[in-house]
């Protein structure tokens, strides 16, 4: 497990977290556009209502003008009525006086008689013509009085009729005035209602404009947050690129070290094989020479013994000496992976990235190498440092997994492989229980326990 996985995850997290902000910033434009549309509609409604209010104001002005005209007409009718009333009163006084004169004349006629009046007029006359004149004058006076009285009565009736006509007109004006006042009040009520509607539209517009202002502020904040996230993404991308370049250099360096170690190990193995071959040949030659010397010595000893035996045959019994054993040839040693002089890494410290599988194994097995590379490279690196590396599982060993190799219910990283610490080994079912760390586990710094098959894995022994 490498630190670049964490960097990649961080970049992905930042990229994902940026999506809602960007979407939100774009959504603000739509919301602001909706508010603008609503404000425009409210302004149009207010304009329409204002037009109606203006029309009603014009109607009220018209009705008010009509009311004023009626009031002026009523005032004139009242004035005319007052004049007629005065005229009627004057006529009544005149008629009363005329009636009094006529009554006096009638009484005189009844008391004295009309003839007496005529006689007196004749007797008092100076001549016939004077008599005729006086009689005619008296007759004319009587007729004139009667005619005048009748005319006055006719005038009185005419004036009374005109007064009644004026009163009817005043009543009609008053009725029209009431209707106009009611109409004026109705128009004023409509105008008041429209003013309320307009005020409501104005309030809605003010609210929409406030909402629009808030949305613009939130949009600016979202854009600022978006810019910040984009900046973090760029910085994270640069950091990721630098980390990838660093890891590539380390991987190349580790690969070169691994190849150099393999070449060195192959050279040492070849030298050991050559040395073993020479040692085997030398041992074979020595064995042959020793066998020849032993045979000659045995023959000489035998001759000497026979002579001595012949010389001492009378006093000693003959003896047959045991032959000297031939030494067995020395077997050729079988080369093994690692197992030579091991490099001591105990005090080197843990130089791996915290949260990686290599860091956890170095923590629980301090004897592990400090610069053994990725998990899949640990076997070769350990062998190059003289450690025993084989396929035999054992408790306390380090197990190395190749690129993409199965690790229980999951697979090792296809690029970096994996390493873990062998906690125990069960020979009955050929399984190992391991503890491990890494970014893909619940606890990256470990321990994360798992039991899996021990077959097909590489083990590094302390």
């Amino acid at each position: 497990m490498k630190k670049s996985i964490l960097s990649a995850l961080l970049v992905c997290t930042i990229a994902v977290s940026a999506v809602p902000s960007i979407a939100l910033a774009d959504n603000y434009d739509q919301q602001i556009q909706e508010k603008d549309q609503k404000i425009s509609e409210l302004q149009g409604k207010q304009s329409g209502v204002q037009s109606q209010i203006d029309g009603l104001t014009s109607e009220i002005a018209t009705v008010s003008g009509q009311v004023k005209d009626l009031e002026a007409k009523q005032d004139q009718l009242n004035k005319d009525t007052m004049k007629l009333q005065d005229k009627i009163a004057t006529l009544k006084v005149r008629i009363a006086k005329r009636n009094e004169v006529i009554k006096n004349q009638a009484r005189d006629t009844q008391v004295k008689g009309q003839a007496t009046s005529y006689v007196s007029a004749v007797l008092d006359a100076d001549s016939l013509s004077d008599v005729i004149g006086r009689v005619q004058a008296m007759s004319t006076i009587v007729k004139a009085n009667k005619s005048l009285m009748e005319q006055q009565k006719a005038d009185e009736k005419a004036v009374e009729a005109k007064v009644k006509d004026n009163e009817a007109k005043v009543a009609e004006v008053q009725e029209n005035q009431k209707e106009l006042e009611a109409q004026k009040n109705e128009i004023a009520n409509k105008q008041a209602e429209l003013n309320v509607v307009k005020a409501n539209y104005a309030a809605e517009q003010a609210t929409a404009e406030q909402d629009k202002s808030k949305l613009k502020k939130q949009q600016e904040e979202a854009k600022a947050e978006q810019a910040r996230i984009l900046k973090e993404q760029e910085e994270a991308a640069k950091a990721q690129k630098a980390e990838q370049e660093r890891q590539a250099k380390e991987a190349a360096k580790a690969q070169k070290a691994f190849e150099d170690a393999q070449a060195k190990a192959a050279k040492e193995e070849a030298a050991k094989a050559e040395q073993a071959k020479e040692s085997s040949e030398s041992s074979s030659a020595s064995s042959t020479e020793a066998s020849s010397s032993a045979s000659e010595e045995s023959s000489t000893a035998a001759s000497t013994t026979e002579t001595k035996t012949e010389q001492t045959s009378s006093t000693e019994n003959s003896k047959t000496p045991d032959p000297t054993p031939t030494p067995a040839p020395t077997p050729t040693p079988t080369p093994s992976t690692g197992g030579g002089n091991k490099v001591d890494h105990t005090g080197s410290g843990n130089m791996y990235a915290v949260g990686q599988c290599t860091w956890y194994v170095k923590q629980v097995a301090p004897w592990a190498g400090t610069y053994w590379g990725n998990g899949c490279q640990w076997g070769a690196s350990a062998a190059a440092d003289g450690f025993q590396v084989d396929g035999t599982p054992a408790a306390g060993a380090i197990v190395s997994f190749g690129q993409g190799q199965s690790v229980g219910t999951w697979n090792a990283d296809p690029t970096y492989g994996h390493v873990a610490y062998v906690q125990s080994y069960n020979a009955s079912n050929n399984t190992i229980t391991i503890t491990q760390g890494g970014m893909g586990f619940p606890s990256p710094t470990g321990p994360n326990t798992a039991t899996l098959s021990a077959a097909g894995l590489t083990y590094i022994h302390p």
Side-chain angles (χ1 to χ4, degrees), residues 87-259:
K87 188 174 183 180
I88 290 172
T90 302
L91 287 172
K92 283 183 177 181
V93 171
R94 289 179 179 178
I95 291 171
K97 289 180 178 181
R98 183 64 59 189
N99 285 333
E100 186 65 24
V101 172
I102 293 173
K103 285 180 181 179
N104 291 331
Q105 289 177 352
R107 186 169 49 251
D108 289 341
T109 302
Q110 291 176 357
V111 173
K112 297 178 179 179
Q114 188 174 8
T116 302
S117 298
Y118 284 111
V119 171
S120 296
V122 171
L123 293 177
D124 293 336
D126 293 332
S127 61
L128 180 61
S129 59
D130 185 30
V131 170
I132 294 170
R134 288 188 177 191
V135 172
Q136 288 179 345
M138 290 179 66
S139 177
T140 300
I141 291 171
V142 172
K143 290 180 179 180
N145 285 332
K146 290 182 178 180
S147 176
L148 180 61
M149 186 179 66
E150 289 175 358
Q151 183 63 41
Q152 285 177 341
K153 288 181 177 180
D155 290 342
E156 183 181 12
K157 289 181 179 179
V159 171
E160 288 177 354
K162 194 168 185 179
V163 169
K164 290 180 180 180
D165 182 61
N166 280 354
E167 288 178 353
K169 289 181 179 180
V170 169
E172 182 181 357
V173 168
Q174 289 177 346
E175 187 66 25
N176 291 336
Q177 187 176 7
K178 288 181 181 179
E179 291 180 1
L180 288 174
E181 287 292 339
Q183 185 178 355
K184 179 181 177 181
N185 291 334
E186 183 180 357
I187 294 172
N189 290 334
K190 288 182 180 180
Q191 190 178 39
E193 291 175 358
L194 289 174
N195 282 325
V196 172
V197 173
K198 180 183 177 183
N200 291 334
Y201 286 150
E204 288 185 29
Q205 180 181 346
T207 302
E209 288 176 349
Q210 290 177 356
D211 293 342
K212 177 183 175 182
S213 179
K214 290 179 181 178
L215 287 172
K216 284 187 175 180
K217 183 178 179 182
Q218 292 174 359
Q219 184 184 37
E220 293 300 324
E221 292 175 353
K223 287 181 178 179
E225 179 66 12
Q226 179 181 341
R228 184 188 66 78
I229 291 174
L230 291 175
K231 184 178 179 181
E232 287 184 357
Q233 285 181 331
E234 292 175 357
E235 292 176 353
K238 291 179 182 179
Q240 182 186 20
K241 184 177 180 181
E243 178 64 17
Q244 289 176 347
E245 291 176 353
R246 185 189 67 79
Q247 290 176 0
K249 290 180 181 180
E250 288 185 358
K253 183 178 178 182
Q255 183 65 27
K256 187 176 183 303
F258 175 65
E259 293 174 355

